[in-house]
Amino acid sequence: MDFETRPLPSGPDTTFTASEIRSAVQDLLGLDGLPPIVQVGHPVLRQRAAPYDGQLGDTELAQLIERMRDVMHAAPGVGLAAPQLGIPLQLAVLEDHFDVDPVASELRQRTPLGFFAILNPSYEPEGTSTASFYEGCLSMRGFQAVVTRHRDVRLHYQRPDGSAASAGFSGWQARIVQHETDHLHGGLYLDRAELRSLANDAEYSAHWAYPGIEEASRGLGFLKP
C-alpha cells in the first residue's frame, strides 16, 4: 500500500552555544557507565539540533560516536541520534545487523546496514513510492505505530572527517535514515504516524506482529484507501 507521507513539523532552533555543547559531551563521556536514553517529553527531542561546525575536537567527536554506538547496541536499536543522549547536535549513528524473519525481511526490504555516523544530514525522496510499516523509537519505549515513509531516499551528510557524502538508500535502510534525520530536526516518528495504529509492545506482539500491516489496518481502522 502506498500513501502520502506526513510532513514533519519543524522544531525550534537550539540556543546552545558551542561551549555548552562541548561541556555536555564531556559530562557524558565522563560517566562510568552508559548514559540513559532521553525519553519523550524532554525538550531536547523537540529542538532543532545545532549543525556540527567543529564544536568538538577530533578525539572528542570520535569518543562520542563510539559511546553512541555502545548505547545503540545495548538498547538494542538500529540508530541513535545525539539528542537522544541530551546532546543537541546534528549527529547520529546507524547500523542494522539484526536477524529478522526472511518473509518479513523480503516484504520490508530489510537488508544489513553497516555502521556509519552522519553529521548535518538531510534527505530527499527518490521517486514517489512509499512504504507503511510499524516502527518504534528508543526514546518512546514500549510503543509502536505505523509510519508511512519514502521507500527510496538520497541522504546528504558529512562524515566525521569533515568530507561531504551523498548516498541512496532503499527499503528499511531508507526508513532508518529518515527516522534518525528527523530526530535531528526536532521530530519523532509519532509526528508522521497513523495514531489509530498505536500499540504497546504487548498488544502489538499479541495481535499485529505480522510482516505487513494489513491485519492491523483492518482491525484498528487506519490507512483505508
Side-chain angles (χ1 to χ4, degrees), residues 94 96 108-111 113 116 123-126 129 131 135 149-155 167-182:
L94 306 87
D96 184 10
R108 299 172 186 176
Q109 293 182 278
R110 187 168 183 174
T111 56
L113 178 64
F116 70 115
Y123 64 81
E124 59 197 32
E126 292 192 317
S129 295
E135 69 180 75
R149 294 193 183 272
H150 303 295
R151 190 183 299 274
D152 306 286
V153 298
R154 177 152 293 274
L155 179 70
F169 295 88
S170 298
W172 205 259
Q173 292 185 2
R175 181 170 295 268
I176 297 170
V177 163
Q178 292 169 81
H179 182 115
E180 297 309 324
T181 301
D182 284 355

PDB file of all heavy atoms in Angstrom, residues 94 96 108-111 113 116 123-126 129 131 135 149-155 167-182:
ATOM      1  N   LEU A  94      24.119   4.828  12.833  1.00  0.00           N
ATOM      2  CA  LEU A  94      23.178   3.879  12.253  1.00  0.00           C
ATOM      3  C   LEU A  94      23.872   2.543  12.027  1.00  0.00           C
ATOM      4  O   LEU A  94      25.047   2.497  11.654  1.00  0.00           O
ATOM      5  CB  LEU A  94      22.641   4.394  10.908  1.00  0.00           C
ATOM      6  CG  LEU A  94      22.006   5.778  10.859  1.00  0.00           C
ATOM      7  CD1 LEU A  94      23.076   6.849  10.623  1.00  0.00           C
ATOM      8  CD2 LEU A  94      20.962   5.866   9.768  1.00  0.00           C
ATOM      9  N   ASP A  96      22.406  -1.827  11.250  1.00  0.00           N
ATOM     10  CA  ASP A  96      21.343  -2.835  11.356  1.00  0.00           C
ATOM     11  C   ASP A  96      21.888  -4.182  10.922  1.00  0.00           C
ATOM     12  O   ASP A  96      22.107  -4.428   9.742  1.00  0.00           O
ATOM     13  CB  ASP A  96      20.144  -2.438  10.495  1.00  0.00           C
ATOM     14  CG  ASP A  96      18.967  -3.402  10.654  1.00  0.00           C
ATOM     15  OD1 ASP A  96      19.012  -4.259  11.558  1.00  0.00           O
ATOM     16  OD2 ASP A  96      18.005  -3.284   9.875  1.00  0.00           O
ATOM     17  N   ARG A 108       9.674  -6.095   3.813  1.00  0.00           N
ATOM     18  CA  ARG A 108      10.117  -4.779   4.279  1.00  0.00           C
ATOM     19  C   ARG A 108      11.383  -4.302   3.584  1.00  0.00           C
ATOM     20  O   ARG A 108      11.858  -3.213   3.872  1.00  0.00           O
ATOM     21  CB  ARG A 108      10.361  -4.838   5.798  1.00  0.00           C
ATOM     22  CG  ARG A 108       9.115  -5.191   6.587  1.00  0.00           C
ATOM     23  CD  ARG A 108       9.431  -5.427   8.045  1.00  0.00           C
ATOM     24  NE  ARG A 108       8.261  -5.897   8.771  1.00  0.00           N
ATOM     25  CZ  ARG A 108       8.250  -6.259  10.051  1.00  0.00           C
ATOM     26  NH1 ARG A 108       9.390  -6.204  10.748  1.00  0.00           N
ATOM     27  NH2 ARG A 108       7.145  -6.673  10.632  1.00  0.00           N
ATOM     28  N   GLN A 109      11.916  -5.114   2.693  1.00  0.00           N
ATOM     29  CA  GLN A 109      13.193  -4.793   2.020  1.00  0.00           C
ATOM     30  C   GLN A 109      14.255  -4.459   3.073  1.00  0.00           C
ATOM     31  O   GLN A 109      14.947  -3.453   2.975  1.00  0.00           O
ATOM     32  CB  GLN A 109      13.018  -3.618   1.059  1.00  0.00           C
ATOM     33  CG  GLN A 109      12.128  -3.903  -0.134  1.00  0.00           C
ATOM     34  CD  GLN A 109      12.030  -2.710  -1.062  1.00  0.00           C
ATOM     35  OE1 GLN A 109      11.253  -1.792  -0.825  1.00  0.00           O
ATOM     36  NE2 GLN A 109      12.830  -2.712  -2.120  1.00  0.00           N
ATOM     37  N   ARG A 110      14.384  -5.359   4.032  1.00  0.00           N
ATOM     38  CA  ARG A 110      15.324  -5.144   5.130  1.00  0.00           C
ATOM     39  C   ARG A 110      16.597  -5.936   4.883  1.00  0.00           C
ATOM     40  O   ARG A 110      16.588  -7.169   4.876  1.00  0.00           O
ATOM     41  CB  ARG A 110      14.698  -5.537   6.467  1.00  0.00           C
ATOM     42  CG  ARG A 110      15.567  -5.172   7.658  1.00  0.00           C
ATOM     43  CD  ARG A 110      14.802  -5.292   8.960  1.00  0.00           C
ATOM     44  NE  ARG A 110      15.631  -4.872  10.099  1.00  0.00           N
ATOM     45  CZ  ARG A 110      15.167  -4.768  11.343  1.00  0.00           C
ATOM     46  NH1 ARG A 110      13.899  -5.052  11.620  1.00  0.00           N
ATOM     47  NH2 ARG A 110      15.970  -4.381  12.328  1.00  0.00           N
ATOM     48  N   THR A 111      17.676  -5.225   4.656  1.00  0.00           N
ATOM     49  CA  THR A 111      18.983  -5.824   4.429  1.00  0.00           C
ATOM     50  C   THR A 111      19.974  -5.223   5.409  1.00  0.00           C
ATOM     51  O   THR A 111      19.763  -4.119   5.934  1.00  0.00           O
ATOM     52  CB  THR A 111      19.456  -5.578   2.990  1.00  0.00           C
ATOM     53  OG1 THR A 111      19.464  -4.167   2.732  1.00  0.00           O
ATOM     54  CG2 THR A 111      18.542  -6.266   1.983  1.00  0.00           C
ATOM     55  N   LEU A 113      22.798  -3.226   7.302  1.00  0.00           N
ATOM     56  CA  LEU A 113      23.348  -1.882   7.128  1.00  0.00           C
ATOM     57  C   LEU A 113      24.585  -1.765   7.997  1.00  0.00           C
ATOM     58  O   LEU A 113      24.512  -1.910   9.216  1.00  0.00           O
ATOM     59  CB  LEU A 113      22.313  -0.832   7.549  1.00  0.00           C
ATOM     60  CG  LEU A 113      22.743   0.642   7.480  1.00  0.00           C
ATOM     61  CD1 LEU A 113      23.032   1.051   6.042  1.00  0.00           C
ATOM     62  CD2 LEU A 113      21.663   1.537   8.093  1.00  0.00           C
ATOM     63  N   PHE A 116      27.759   3.380  10.385  1.00  0.00           N
ATOM     64  CA  PHE A 116      28.341   4.646   9.970  1.00  0.00           C
ATOM     65  C   PHE A 116      27.706   5.776  10.756  1.00  0.00           C
ATOM     66  O   PHE A 116      26.627   5.630  11.352  1.00  0.00           O
ATOM     67  CB  PHE A 116      28.223   4.877   8.455  1.00  0.00           C
ATOM     68  CG  PHE A 116      26.830   5.138   7.926  1.00  0.00           C
ATOM     69  CD1 PHE A 116      26.507   6.366   7.367  1.00  0.00           C
ATOM     70  CD2 PHE A 116      25.856   4.143   7.940  1.00  0.00           C
ATOM     71  CE1 PHE A 116      25.250   6.608   6.847  1.00  0.00           C
ATOM     72  CE2 PHE A 116      24.589   4.378   7.420  1.00  0.00           C
ATOM     73  CZ  PHE A 116      24.289   5.622   6.879  1.00  0.00           C
ATOM     74  N   TYR A 123      17.683  14.685   3.719  1.00  0.00           N
ATOM     75  CA  TYR A 123      17.343  13.680   2.717  1.00  0.00           C
ATOM     76  C   TYR A 123      16.238  14.191   1.818  1.00  0.00           C
ATOM     77  O   TYR A 123      15.517  15.136   2.145  1.00  0.00           O
ATOM     78  CB  TYR A 123      16.932  12.353   3.376  1.00  0.00           C
ATOM     79  CG  TYR A 123      15.678  12.415   4.226  1.00  0.00           C
ATOM     80  CD1 TYR A 123      14.406  12.363   3.653  1.00  0.00           C
ATOM     81  CD2 TYR A 123      15.759  12.508   5.612  1.00  0.00           C
ATOM     82  CE1 TYR A 123      13.260  12.404   4.429  1.00  0.00           C
ATOM     83  CE2 TYR A 123      14.624  12.556   6.395  1.00  0.00           C
ATOM     84  CZ  TYR A 123      13.380  12.503   5.794  1.00  0.00           C
ATOM     85  OH  TYR A 123      12.241  12.559   6.566  1.00  0.00           O
ATOM     86  N   GLU A 124      16.142  13.552   0.666  1.00  0.00           N
ATOM     87  CA  GLU A 124      15.087  13.872  -0.294  1.00  0.00           C
ATOM     88  C   GLU A 124      14.605  12.566  -0.901  1.00  0.00           C
ATOM     89  O   GLU A 124      15.373  11.603  -1.030  1.00  0.00           O
ATOM     90  CB  GLU A 124      15.621  14.808  -1.385  1.00  0.00           C
ATOM     91  CG  GLU A 124      16.783  14.228  -2.156  1.00  0.00           C
ATOM     92  CD  GLU A 124      17.565  15.253  -2.942  1.00  0.00           C
ATOM     93  OE1 GLU A 124      17.643  16.408  -2.491  1.00  0.00           O
ATOM     94  OE2 GLU A 124      18.121  14.882  -3.993  1.00  0.00           O
ATOM     95  N   PRO A 125      13.318  12.487  -1.251  1.00  0.00           N
ATOM     96  CA  PRO A 125      12.814  11.249  -1.856  1.00  0.00           C
ATOM     97  C   PRO A 125      13.380  11.050  -3.245  1.00  0.00           C
ATOM     98  O   PRO A 125      13.644  12.013  -3.979  1.00  0.00           O
ATOM     99  CB  PRO A 125      11.297  11.464  -1.894  1.00  0.00           C
ATOM    100  CG  PRO A 125      11.125  12.953  -1.895  1.00  0.00           C
ATOM    101  CD  PRO A 125      12.265  13.492  -1.078  1.00  0.00           C
ATOM    102  N   GLU A 126      13.581   9.801  -3.604  1.00  0.00           N
ATOM    103  CA  GLU A 126      13.929   9.426  -4.962  1.00  0.00           C
ATOM    104  C   GLU A 126      12.757   8.614  -5.510  1.00  0.00           C
ATOM    105  O   GLU A 126      12.555   7.470  -5.129  1.00  0.00           O
ATOM    106  CB  GLU A 126      15.228   8.626  -4.997  1.00  0.00           C
ATOM    107  CG  GLU A 126      16.450   9.449  -4.623  1.00  0.00           C
ATOM    108  CD  GLU A 126      17.762   8.750  -4.939  1.00  0.00           C
ATOM    109  OE1 GLU A 126      17.876   7.536  -4.660  1.00  0.00           O
ATOM    110  OE2 GLU A 126      18.673   9.411  -5.471  1.00  0.00           O
ATOM    111  N   SER A 129       7.400   6.325  -4.572  1.00  0.00           N
ATOM    112  CA  SER A 129       6.935   5.160  -3.817  1.00  0.00           C
ATOM    113  C   SER A 129       7.082   5.382  -2.320  1.00  0.00           C
ATOM    114  O   SER A 129       8.055   5.985  -1.863  1.00  0.00           O
ATOM    115  CB  SER A 129       7.713   3.910  -4.217  1.00  0.00           C
ATOM    116  OG  SER A 129       7.455   3.564  -5.555  1.00  0.00           O
ATOM    117  N   ALA A 131       6.209   3.376   1.708  1.00  0.00           N
ATOM    118  CA  ALA A 131       6.004   2.100   2.401  1.00  0.00           C
ATOM    119  C   ALA A 131       5.492   2.383   3.801  1.00  0.00           C
ATOM    120  O   ALA A 131       5.926   3.337   4.453  1.00  0.00           O
ATOM    121  CB  ALA A 131       7.301   1.303   2.460  1.00  0.00           C
ATOM    122  N   GLU A 135       6.910   0.940  13.326  1.00  0.00           N
ATOM    123  CA  GLU A 135       8.245   1.242  13.818  1.00  0.00           C
ATOM    124  C   GLU A 135       8.138   1.796  15.232  1.00  0.00           C
ATOM    125  O   GLU A 135       7.063   2.227  15.665  1.00  0.00           O
ATOM    126  CB  GLU A 135       8.990   2.212  12.901  1.00  0.00           C
ATOM    127  CG  GLU A 135       8.471   3.621  12.848  1.00  0.00           C
ATOM    128  CD  GLU A 135       9.297   4.494  11.886  1.00  0.00           C
ATOM    129  OE1 GLU A 135       9.145   4.364  10.662  1.00  0.00           O
ATOM    130  OE2 GLU A 135      10.078   5.320  12.396  1.00  0.00           O
ATOM    131  N   ARG A 149       6.572   6.153   5.037  1.00  0.00           N
ATOM    132  CA  ARG A 149       7.796   6.873   4.690  1.00  0.00           C
ATOM    133  C   ARG A 149       8.142   6.636   3.218  1.00  0.00           C
ATOM    134  O   ARG A 149       7.636   5.697   2.593  1.00  0.00           O
ATOM    135  CB  ARG A 149       8.959   6.416   5.574  1.00  0.00           C
ATOM    136  CG  ARG A 149       8.800   6.773   7.058  1.00  0.00           C
ATOM    137  CD  ARG A 149      10.109   6.587   7.778  1.00  0.00           C
ATOM    138  NE  ARG A 149      10.026   6.842   9.212  1.00  0.00           N
ATOM    139  CZ  ARG A 149      10.197   8.029   9.776  1.00  0.00           C
ATOM    140  NH1 ARG A 149      10.451   9.086   9.014  1.00  0.00           N
ATOM    141  NH2 ARG A 149      10.125   8.165  11.087  1.00  0.00           N
ATOM    142  N   HIS A 150       9.013   7.487   2.711  1.00  0.00           N
ATOM    143  CA  HIS A 150       9.516   7.287   1.356  1.00  0.00           C
ATOM    144  C   HIS A 150      10.250   5.949   1.283  1.00  0.00           C
ATOM    145  O   HIS A 150      11.035   5.609   2.176  1.00  0.00           O
ATOM    146  CB  HIS A 150      10.478   8.409   0.970  1.00  0.00           C
ATOM    147  CG  HIS A 150       9.887   9.781   1.072  1.00  0.00           C
ATOM    148  ND1 HIS A 150       8.848  10.209   0.277  1.00  0.00           N
ATOM    149  CD2 HIS A 150      10.189  10.826   1.888  1.00  0.00           C
ATOM    150  CE1 HIS A 150       8.535  11.453   0.587  1.00  0.00           C
ATOM    151  NE2 HIS A 150       9.330  11.853   1.557  1.00  0.00           N
ATOM    152  N   ARG A 151      10.006   5.215   0.222  1.00  0.00           N
ATOM    153  CA  ARG A 151      10.676   3.919   0.058  1.00  0.00           C
ATOM    154  C   ARG A 151      12.143   4.090  -0.341  1.00  0.00           C
ATOM    155  O   ARG A 151      12.997   3.284   0.029  1.00  0.00           O
ATOM    156  CB  ARG A 151       9.949   3.079  -0.993  1.00  0.00           C
ATOM    157  CG  ARG A 151      10.416   1.632  -1.061  1.00  0.00           C
ATOM    158  CD  ARG A 151       9.699   0.891  -2.177  1.00  0.00           C
ATOM    159  NE  ARG A 151       8.261   0.856  -1.987  1.00  0.00           N
ATOM    160  CZ  ARG A 151       7.607  -0.056  -1.256  1.00  0.00           C
ATOM    161  NH1 ARG A 151       8.296  -1.004  -0.641  1.00  0.00           N
ATOM    162  NH2 ARG A 151       6.305  -0.022  -1.151  1.00  0.00           N
ATOM    163  N   ASP A 152      12.425   5.155  -1.080  1.00  0.00           N
ATOM    164  CA  ASP A 152      13.779   5.413  -1.566  1.00  0.00           C
ATOM    165  C   ASP A 152      14.137   6.868  -1.288  1.00  0.00           C
ATOM    166  O   ASP A 152      13.345   7.770  -1.597  1.00  0.00           O
ATOM    167  CB  ASP A 152      13.881   5.161  -3.071  1.00  0.00           C
ATOM    168  CG  ASP A 152      13.406   3.773  -3.460  1.00  0.00           C
ATOM    169  OD1 ASP A 152      14.147   2.810  -3.196  1.00  0.00           O
ATOM    170  OD2 ASP A 152      12.291   3.655  -4.012  1.00  0.00           O
ATOM    171  N   VAL A 153      15.303   7.089  -0.700  1.00  0.00           N
ATOM    172  CA  VAL A 153      15.743   8.442  -0.407  1.00  0.00           C
ATOM    173  C   VAL A 153      17.216   8.607  -0.752  1.00  0.00           C
ATOM    174  O   VAL A 153      17.965   7.633  -0.845  1.00  0.00           O
ATOM    175  CB  VAL A 153      15.553   8.815   1.091  1.00  0.00           C
ATOM    176  CG1 VAL A 153      14.080   8.769   1.478  1.00  0.00           C
ATOM    177  CG2 VAL A 153      16.391   7.919   1.990  1.00  0.00           C
ATOM    178  N   ARG A 154      17.597   9.851  -0.951  1.00  0.00           N
ATOM    179  CA  ARG A 154      19.018  10.198  -1.079  1.00  0.00           C
ATOM    180  C   ARG A 154      19.400  11.010   0.135  1.00  0.00           C
ATOM    181  O   ARG A 154      18.758  12.012   0.454  1.00  0.00           O
ATOM    182  CB  ARG A 154      19.298  10.977  -2.356  1.00  0.00           C
ATOM    183  CG  ARG A 154      20.762  11.413  -2.469  1.00  0.00           C
ATOM    184  CD  ARG A 154      21.196  11.538  -3.892  1.00  0.00           C
ATOM    185  NE  ARG A 154      21.217  10.232  -4.573  1.00  0.00           N
ATOM    186  CZ  ARG A 154      22.242   9.393  -4.559  1.00  0.00           C
ATOM    187  NH1 ARG A 154      23.371   9.712  -3.914  1.00  0.00           N
ATOM    188  NH2 ARG A 154      22.181   8.245  -5.198  1.00  0.00           N
ATOM    189  N   LEU A 155      20.427  10.557   0.813  1.00  0.00           N
ATOM    190  CA  LEU A 155      20.914  11.199   2.026  1.00  0.00           C
ATOM    191  C   LEU A 155      22.152  12.028   1.710  1.00  0.00           C
ATOM    192  O   LEU A 155      23.087  11.547   1.077  1.00  0.00           O
ATOM    193  CB  LEU A 155      21.260  10.142   3.082  1.00  0.00           C
ATOM    194  CG  LEU A 155      21.804  10.661   4.417  1.00  0.00           C
ATOM    195  CD1 LEU A 155      20.721  11.374   5.197  1.00  0.00           C
ATOM    196  CD2 LEU A 155      22.401   9.518   5.237  1.00  0.00           C
ATOM    197  N   ALA A 167      24.425   9.499  -0.601  1.00  0.00           N
ATOM    198  CA  ALA A 167      24.201   8.085  -0.894  1.00  0.00           C
ATOM    199  C   ALA A 167      22.710   7.808  -0.954  1.00  0.00           C
ATOM    200  O   ALA A 167      21.914   8.452  -0.264  1.00  0.00           O
ATOM    201  CB  ALA A 167      24.854   7.196   0.167  1.00  0.00           C
ATOM    202  N   GLY A 168      22.332   6.837  -1.795  1.00  0.00           N
ATOM    203  CA  GLY A 168      20.945   6.429  -1.896  1.00  0.00           C
ATOM    204  C   GLY A 168      20.653   5.232  -0.997  1.00  0.00           C
ATOM    205  O   GLY A 168      21.511   4.351  -0.825  1.00  0.00           O
ATOM    206  N   PHE A 169      19.455   5.210  -0.427  1.00  0.00           N
ATOM    207  CA  PHE A 169      19.030   4.117   0.446  1.00  0.00           C
ATOM    208  C   PHE A 169      17.601   3.719   0.076  1.00  0.00           C
ATOM    209  O   PHE A 169      16.789   4.571  -0.287  1.00  0.00           O
ATOM    210  CB  PHE A 169      19.074   4.534   1.910  1.00  0.00           C
ATOM    211  CG  PHE A 169      20.458   4.840   2.425  1.00  0.00           C
ATOM    212  CD1 PHE A 169      20.977   6.120   2.311  1.00  0.00           C
ATOM    213  CD2 PHE A 169      21.242   3.851   2.991  1.00  0.00           C
ATOM    214  CE1 PHE A 169      22.252   6.418   2.767  1.00  0.00           C
ATOM    215  CE2 PHE A 169      22.522   4.125   3.449  1.00  0.00           C
ATOM    216  CZ  PHE A 169      23.031   5.415   3.332  1.00  0.00           C
ATOM    217  N   SER A 170      17.330   2.424   0.214  1.00  0.00           N
ATOM    218  CA  SER A 170      16.009   1.896  -0.121  1.00  0.00           C
ATOM    219  C   SER A 170      15.483   1.027   1.005  1.00  0.00           C
ATOM    220  O   SER A 170      16.251   0.533   1.840  1.00  0.00           O
ATOM    221  CB  SER A 170      16.079   1.071  -1.418  1.00  0.00           C
ATOM    222  OG  SER A 170      16.492   1.862  -2.507  1.00  0.00           O
ATOM    223  N   GLY A 171      14.183   0.810   1.004  1.00  0.00           N
ATOM    224  CA  GLY A 171      13.563  -0.103   1.938  1.00  0.00           C
ATOM    225  C   GLY A 171      13.776   0.286   3.382  1.00  0.00           C
ATOM    226  O   GLY A 171      13.628   1.446   3.770  1.00  0.00           O
ATOM    227  N   TRP A 172      14.128  -0.722   4.206  1.00  0.00           N
ATOM    228  CA  TRP A 172      14.267  -0.478   5.639  1.00  0.00           C
ATOM    229  C   TRP A 172      15.440   0.438   5.947  1.00  0.00           C
ATOM    230  O   TRP A 172      15.391   1.228   6.891  1.00  0.00           O
ATOM    231  CB  TRP A 172      14.420  -1.801   6.385  1.00  0.00           C
ATOM    232  CG  TRP A 172      13.975  -1.712   7.813  1.00  0.00           C
ATOM    233  CD1 TRP A 172      14.755  -1.580   8.914  1.00  0.00           C
ATOM    234  CD2 TRP A 172      12.620  -1.742   8.278  1.00  0.00           C
ATOM    235  NE1 TRP A 172      13.984  -1.512  10.045  1.00  0.00           N
ATOM    236  CE2 TRP A 172      12.662  -1.620   9.691  1.00  0.00           C
ATOM    237  CE3 TRP A 172      11.375  -1.865   7.650  1.00  0.00           C
ATOM    238  CZ2 TRP A 172      11.515  -1.607  10.479  1.00  0.00           C
ATOM    239  CZ3 TRP A 172      10.229  -1.865   8.431  1.00  0.00           C
ATOM    240  CH2 TRP A 172      10.315  -1.734   9.823  1.00  0.00           C
ATOM    241  N   GLN A 173      16.494   0.361   5.154  1.00  0.00           N
ATOM    242  CA  GLN A 173      17.610   1.276   5.354  1.00  0.00           C
ATOM    243  C   GLN A 173      17.157   2.724   5.177  1.00  0.00           C
ATOM    244  O   GLN A 173      17.565   3.612   5.937  1.00  0.00           O
ATOM    245  CB  GLN A 173      18.743   0.955   4.376  1.00  0.00           C
ATOM    246  CG  GLN A 173      19.422  -0.381   4.636  1.00  0.00           C
ATOM    247  CD  GLN A 173      20.612  -0.605   3.724  1.00  0.00           C
ATOM    248  OE1 GLN A 173      20.962   0.259   2.917  1.00  0.00           O
ATOM    249  NE2 GLN A 173      21.249  -1.770   3.846  1.00  0.00           N
ATOM    250  N   ALA A 174      16.312   2.980   4.184  1.00  0.00           N
ATOM    251  CA  ALA A 174      15.781   4.328   3.984  1.00  0.00           C
ATOM    252  C   ALA A 174      14.927   4.759   5.161  1.00  0.00           C
ATOM    253  O   ALA A 174      14.937   5.934   5.561  1.00  0.00           O
ATOM    254  CB  ALA A 174      14.961   4.382   2.689  1.00  0.00           C
ATOM    255  N   ARG A 175      14.209   3.823   5.761  1.00  0.00           N
ATOM    256  CA  ARG A 175      13.388   4.141   6.939  1.00  0.00           C
ATOM    257  C   ARG A 175      14.281   4.560   8.107  1.00  0.00           C
ATOM    258  O   ARG A 175      13.979   5.535   8.816  1.00  0.00           O
ATOM    259  CB  ARG A 175      12.539   2.916   7.318  1.00  0.00           C
ATOM    260  CG  ARG A 175      11.605   3.127   8.526  1.00  0.00           C
ATOM    261  CD  ARG A 175      10.643   1.953   8.650  1.00  0.00           C
ATOM    262  NE  ARG A 175       9.749   1.911   7.503  1.00  0.00           N
ATOM    263  CZ  ARG A 175       8.559   2.511   7.466  1.00  0.00           C
ATOM    264  NH1 ARG A 175       8.106   3.181   8.519  1.00  0.00           N
ATOM    265  NH2 ARG A 175       7.799   2.425   6.387  1.00  0.00           N
ATOM    266  N   ILE A 176      15.365   3.850   8.327  1.00  0.00           N
ATOM    267  CA  ILE A 176      16.288   4.197   9.415  1.00  0.00           C
ATOM    268  C   ILE A 176      16.876   5.589   9.180  1.00  0.00           C
ATOM    269  O   ILE A 176      16.945   6.419  10.095  1.00  0.00           O
ATOM    270  CB  ILE A 176      17.404   3.145   9.526  1.00  0.00           C
ATOM    271  CG1 ILE A 176      16.823   1.778   9.890  1.00  0.00           C
ATOM    272  CG2 ILE A 176      18.445   3.570  10.569  1.00  0.00           C
ATOM    273  CD1 ILE A 176      17.823   0.632   9.785  1.00  0.00           C
ATOM    274  N   VAL A 177      17.309   5.843   7.949  1.00  0.00           N
ATOM    275  CA  VAL A 177      17.883   7.145   7.601  1.00  0.00           C
ATOM    276  C   VAL A 177      16.898   8.269   7.885  1.00  0.00           C
ATOM    277  O   VAL A 177      17.259   9.303   8.476  1.00  0.00           O
ATOM    278  CB  VAL A 177      18.304   7.139   6.116  1.00  0.00           C
ATOM    279  CG1 VAL A 177      18.499   8.562   5.603  1.00  0.00           C
ATOM    280  CG2 VAL A 177      19.576   6.315   5.919  1.00  0.00           C
ATOM    281  N   GLN A 178      15.647   8.085   7.484  1.00  0.00           N
ATOM    282  CA  GLN A 178      14.637   9.121   7.692  1.00  0.00           C
ATOM    283  C   GLN A 178      14.335   9.313   9.177  1.00  0.00           C
ATOM    284  O   GLN A 178      14.210  10.447   9.659  1.00  0.00           O
ATOM    285  CB  GLN A 178      13.364   8.764   6.930  1.00  0.00           C
ATOM    286  CG  GLN A 178      13.530   8.815   5.420  1.00  0.00           C
ATOM    287  CD  GLN A 178      12.345   8.218   4.678  1.00  0.00           C
ATOM    288  OE1 GLN A 178      11.322   8.867   4.484  1.00  0.00           O
ATOM    289  NE2 GLN A 178      12.485   6.960   4.247  1.00  0.00           N
ATOM    290  N   HIS A 179      14.206   8.226   9.903  1.00  0.00           N
ATOM    291  CA  HIS A 179      13.902   8.279  11.337  1.00  0.00           C
ATOM    292  C   HIS A 179      14.975   9.060  12.099  1.00  0.00           C
ATOM    293  O   HIS A 179      14.661   9.957  12.901  1.00  0.00           O
ATOM    294  CB  HIS A 179      13.784   6.854  11.876  1.00  0.00           C
ATOM    295  CG  HIS A 179      13.427   6.753  13.317  1.00  0.00           C
ATOM    296  ND1 HIS A 179      12.229   6.203  13.762  1.00  0.00           N
ATOM    297  CD2 HIS A 179      14.091   7.111  14.444  1.00  0.00           C
ATOM    298  CE1 HIS A 179      12.191   6.247  15.089  1.00  0.00           C
ATOM    299  NE2 HIS A 179      13.312   6.783  15.522  1.00  0.00           N
ATOM    300  N   GLU A 180      16.234   8.737  11.847  1.00  0.00           N
ATOM    301  CA  GLU A 180      17.319   9.385  12.595  1.00  0.00           C
ATOM    302  C   GLU A 180      17.511  10.845  12.170  1.00  0.00           C
ATOM    303  O   GLU A 180      17.773  11.708  13.012  1.00  0.00           O
ATOM    304  CB  GLU A 180      18.623   8.599  12.430  1.00  0.00           C
ATOM    305  CG  GLU A 180      18.573   7.184  12.980  1.00  0.00           C
ATOM    306  CD  GLU A 180      18.066   7.110  14.410  1.00  0.00           C
ATOM    307  OE1 GLU A 180      18.366   8.019  15.210  1.00  0.00           O
ATOM    308  OE2 GLU A 180      17.372   6.135  14.737  1.00  0.00           O
ATOM    309  N   THR A 181      17.367  11.128  10.886  1.00  0.00           N
ATOM    310  CA  THR A 181      17.487  12.517  10.437  1.00  0.00           C
ATOM    311  C   THR A 181      16.362  13.365  11.023  1.00  0.00           C
ATOM    312  O   THR A 181      16.585  14.512  11.433  1.00  0.00           O
ATOM    313  CB  THR A 181      17.481  12.590   8.904  1.00  0.00           C
ATOM    314  OG1 THR A 181      18.569  11.813   8.389  1.00  0.00           O
ATOM    315  CG2 THR A 181      17.632  14.027   8.422  1.00  0.00           C
ATOM    316  N   ASP A 182      15.154  12.815  11.086  1.00  0.00           N
ATOM    317  CA  ASP A 182      14.036  13.541  11.695  1.00  0.00           C
ATOM    318  C   ASP A 182      14.352  13.929  13.140  1.00  0.00           C
ATOM    319  O   ASP A 182      13.996  15.026  13.591  1.00  0.00           O
ATOM    320  CB  ASP A 182      12.760  12.692  11.663  1.00  0.00           C
ATOM    321  CG  ASP A 182      12.118  12.647  10.280  1.00  0.00           C
ATOM    322  OD1 ASP A 182      12.600  13.340   9.362  1.00  0.00           O
ATOM    323  OD2 ASP A 182      11.121  11.905  10.129  1.00  0.00           O
TER     324      ASP A 182
END
